[in-house]
Amino acid sequence: MAALSRVDFGDYDTDGIFQVATVAVGNLSTCQVEASYRSLDGEFVRFPRSQPEYPEIDRQLREFGSGGQIDVGRGQWGWAIPMNHQSIVQGCLVVSAADAPPEFQVLLLKILAQQAGTALAYVAVQERDIGVAEQTAQVTTDLHETNQALASTVSRLQRQSNIHEVLGAAVAAGRGAQGVADALYDLTALPVGVEDRFGNLRCWAGSGRPHPYPKQTSDERELLLHELAARNGPARIGGRMLALVQPRAEILGVLALHDPDNTVSEDSLFALRYGTTVLAMELSHERSIAEIELNLRRDLVDDLLVGTDRDGAYARADALGHDLRRPHYVVVMNAAGRADCTLATAAGRAATALHLNYLQGQHGGFVVLLTDGRPDPGALHHAIGEGPDRASVVIGIGTRCDVPDELPQSFIEARRAFNIQLRYANPGGAAAFDELGFYRLIDGAHDGGAVEPFVREWLGALLDYDSSKKSEMVLTLSEYLECGGNYDESAAALHIHRSTLRYRLARIAELTGYDLRDVDTRFNLHAATRAWRFLNPAG
């Protein structure tokens, strides 16, 4: 703009005007003048005539006129810029460049051509030697108006350049979306809100922030986003000017100027439009960084669970801002056999709510958390809350790991705790391996193939009887022993009458030949019924 302001055609003849214009093209842009023409009696004549001939360019101008893209050969970008004055073409500049120049350079060249056109018109008047005072005064007035229009254009471009600089500096300062909102507030003097795609407020700049921030329903939000997408630019909705933050096809959010008094200016609208551009780049950048960090965390979790170099593990965790030198626990979970992103999101939210420092990943069909400190099983299961159906979520927690080398064993123990919890009569909830007591023995014996023979030895007669008679003798004995031999509690748990319970217990003693009053017998039967329930969770 400074270079354009120094261009002066005032004291030049036609040759001088073309010379000044040719030099100014190189000063204002990356382009050069391929050819120049003066309009005489409706025809383009090469001017000055000393320039080389360009028959192909001459033909294109005759056929397609003086404005727009033009083939200058050599694979370069070419454009014909008319030199107009009061809608009358005074001449034409054909410019070329290796690549298409930025829009602001094209705008400057058009302004230059308009000035040159005006100057040519003025010279044409002089050349015709009209000498009429009114006509001379009119030309002077036209020049003055043109200069005023140019001054106005320059002023507008300077304001827009300032907007670019302020918003660019906000992004460069590294303050993210909040920095963009603050800069936009400084430029417009209007409160600014940045919302995510779902209508949640990400950040606010200026006074008058609503408390609580209004939240639309899902259907209302989708309608709003659809309307803004159809407008393809800022739109006034209620007391706000809204614009989509949309780097490509995906909508990342909405940028809002709060303007209940309808005072927004053209400069403010320009700032809003450019604000969405820089905000889209910033949010896309933040998302990319988050995805890279998430992938690094998942890779580290995978390596830790299968075993990796201790020093390397410490260094990788340090790079992610996580202290792996503190005691850790492996937590595994899935919901209805799935370890999907919904459960992963819920697990991360729950760990954060419980103030746990953690690494998260997916391994072996499980969502996995490596937590700095032992989470409370019940609290963790409850905190899953708003994720998948809580009743379907099963969680297993391994034992303490003082060094990364112990994490693979803790992962095995967490899976065993998970499997034991899954075998309960009512699967679901959370279990820590070091709290399972007797069930750890059952699980270990089951892996060694010793549980089934033990169950058969003590309950074989009852199992055969239940199978042939469709009865519930094993379940009756199990509930009786779980209730410590209390008749009333046992009958209530089985939903039968006390007399029915007495009959069944007598029949059990008859079928097995066991004395239920004998301490050792009761112990072995209790162990056998618990193992039976472990092996038959639906029993």
Side-chain angles (χ1 to χ4, degrees), residues 331 333 344-360 369-372 375 379-380 383-384:
V331 181
M333 65 182 74
T345 301
R349 183 172 57 243
T352 301
L354 295 176
H355 306 291
L356 296 172
N357 296 318
Y358 65 94
L359 293 171
Q360 182 175 2
L369 299 177
L370 305 183
T371 63
D372 173 4
L380 179 60
I384 295 296

Side-chain angles (χ1 to χ4, degrees), residues 230-500:
R231 297 283 187 91
N232 195 29
R236 173 170 291 278
I237 298 179
R240 304 190 300 168
M241 292 298 302
L242 305 179
L244 286 180
V245 180
Q246 187 177 20
R248 295 181 182 85
E250 183 182 11
I251 297 174
L252 298 183
V254 172
L255 185 58
L257 289 182
H258 290 255
D259 181 38
D261 298 327
N262 195 16
T263 60
V264 67
S265 64
E266 285 297 324
D267 288 343
S268 295
L269 288 178
F270 180 85
L272 176 61
R273 283 191 293 267
Y274 189 67
T276 61
T277 300
V278 297
L279 189 58
M281 292 189 294
E282 179 66 19
L283 296 183
S284 295
H285 179 64
E286 290 179 1
R287 172 176 288 190
S288 297
I289 292 176
E291 289 175 351
I292 291 172
E293 182 175 340
L294 178 59
N295 289 334
L296 291 175
R297 288 177 180 271
R298 287 174 175 171
D299 292 343
L300 176 58
V301 169
D302 283 339
D303 291 345
L304 289 172
L305 295 182
V306 299
T308 188
D309 171 64
R310 183 186 300 183
D311 292 335
Y314 286 145
R316 291 166 66 186
D318 289 345
L320 292 171
H322 186 84
D323 183 6
L324 197 58
R325 294 172 178 81
R326 296 172 58 84
H328 277 68
Y329 293 77
V330 177
V331 181
V332 303
M333 65 182 74
N334 73 18
R338 304 191 322 276
D340 55 19
C341 59
T342 303
L343 179 58
T345 301
R349 183 172 57 243
T352 301
L354 295 176
H355 306 291
L356 296 172
N357 296 318
Y358 65 94
L359 293 171
Q360 182 175 2
Q362 294 190 21
H363 190 82
F366 295 98
V367 171
V368 180
L369 299 177
L370 305 183
T371 63
D372 173 4
R374 185 183 185 281
D376 178 82
L380 179 60
H381 186 261
H382 179 76
I384 295 296
E386 298 177 3
D389 178 16
R390 187 190 303 162
S392 70
V393 177
V394 181
I395 302 173
I397 303 174
T399 55
R400 169 176 169 148
C401 304
D402 291 314
V403 291
D405 313 52
E406 299 172 352
L407 288 169
Q409 180 61 33
S410 184
F411 177 57
I412 293 172
E413 294 166 348
R415 287 188 302 174
R416 290 181 65 185
F418 174 90
N419 290 329
I420 292 171
Q421 187 71 27
L422 197 62
R423 288 180 176 272
Y424 283 168
N426 296 307
F433 184 75
D434 56 8
E435 294 180 349
L436 291 173
F438 173 73
Y439 287 102
R440 289 167 57 183
L441 297 178
I442 295 179
D443 184 57
H446 175 56
D447 290 343
V451 173
E452 289 84 349
F454 177 79
V455 172
R456 188 70 192 172
E457 176 185 350
W458 286 92
L459 300 178
L462 298 180
L463 291 170
D464 293 341
Y465 185 84
D466 283 347
S467 177
S468 62
K469 301 296 184 180
K470 309 299 182 185
S471 59
E472 295 182 334
M473 292 301 180
V474 177
L475 178 61
T476 299
L477 178 59
S478 176
E479 291 292 351
Y480 173 72
L481 294 173
E482 291 292 334
C483 294
N486 186 294
Y487 272 77
D488 291 333
E489 292 181 7
S490 302
L494 292 165
H495 305 291
I496 60 177
H497 196 271
R498 278 172 54 94
S499 59
T500 303

Side-chain angles (χ1 to χ4, degrees), residues 72-195:
V72 297
R74 307 187 304 281
Q76 291 196 317
W77 176 88
W79 201 269
I81 306 176
M83 303 162 73
N84 295 335
H85 175 68
Q86 292 187 343
S87 302
I88 298 175
V89 179
Q90 303 293 330
C92 179
L93 293 176
V94 177
V95 299
S96 66
D99 297 298
E103 290 185 6
F104 76 88
Q105 290 188 7
V106 175
L107 175 59
L108 293 176
L109 293 180
K110 290 180 179 179
I111 296 173
L112 172 69
Q114 184 180 9
Q115 287 183 277
T118 300
L120 286 173
Y122 182 72
V123 170
V125 171
Q126 290 181 322
E127 289 175 346
R128 287 192 297 269
D129 196 23
I130 297 176
V132 179
E134 292 80 2
Q135 292 179 332
T136 303
Q138 183 62 48
V139 171
T140 303
T141 301
D142 290 343
L143 284 173
H144 178 69
E145 291 176 352
T146 300
N147 288 334
Q148 285 185 324
L150 176 60
S152 176
T153 301
V154 170
S155 176
R156 185 177 69 255
L157 290 175
Q158 288 175 336
R159 294 194 302 272
Q160 293 177 358
S161 177
N162 179 63
I163 290 172
H164 286 161
E165 291 176 1
V166 171
L167 290 173
V171 173
R175 295 187 57 234
Q178 184 62 60
V180 175
D182 291 340
L184 195 57
Y185 172 65
D186 291 340
L187 289 167
T188 65
L190 294 171
V192 178
V194 179
E195 301 172 353

Side-chain angles (χ1 to χ4, degrees), residues 161-230:
S161 177
N162 179 63
I163 290 172
H164 286 161
E165 291 176 1
V166 171
L167 290 173
V171 173
R175 295 187 57 234
Q178 184 62 60
V180 175
D182 291 340
L184 195 57
Y185 172 65
D186 291 340
L187 289 167
T188 65
L190 294 171
V192 178
V194 179
E195 301 172 353
D196 65 15
R197 190 191 190 288
F198 307 103
N200 302 303
L201 183 65
R202 289 178 57 101
C203 51
W204 179 275
S207 60
R209 174 179 174 176
H211 291 284
Y213 196 79
K215 180 73 179 289
Q216 296 171 301
T217 65
S218 297
D219 290 342
E220 290 172 341
R221 188 65 176 179
E222 288 302 320
L223 287 174
L224 173 65
L225 297 179
H226 180 75
E227 182 176 352
L228 290 176

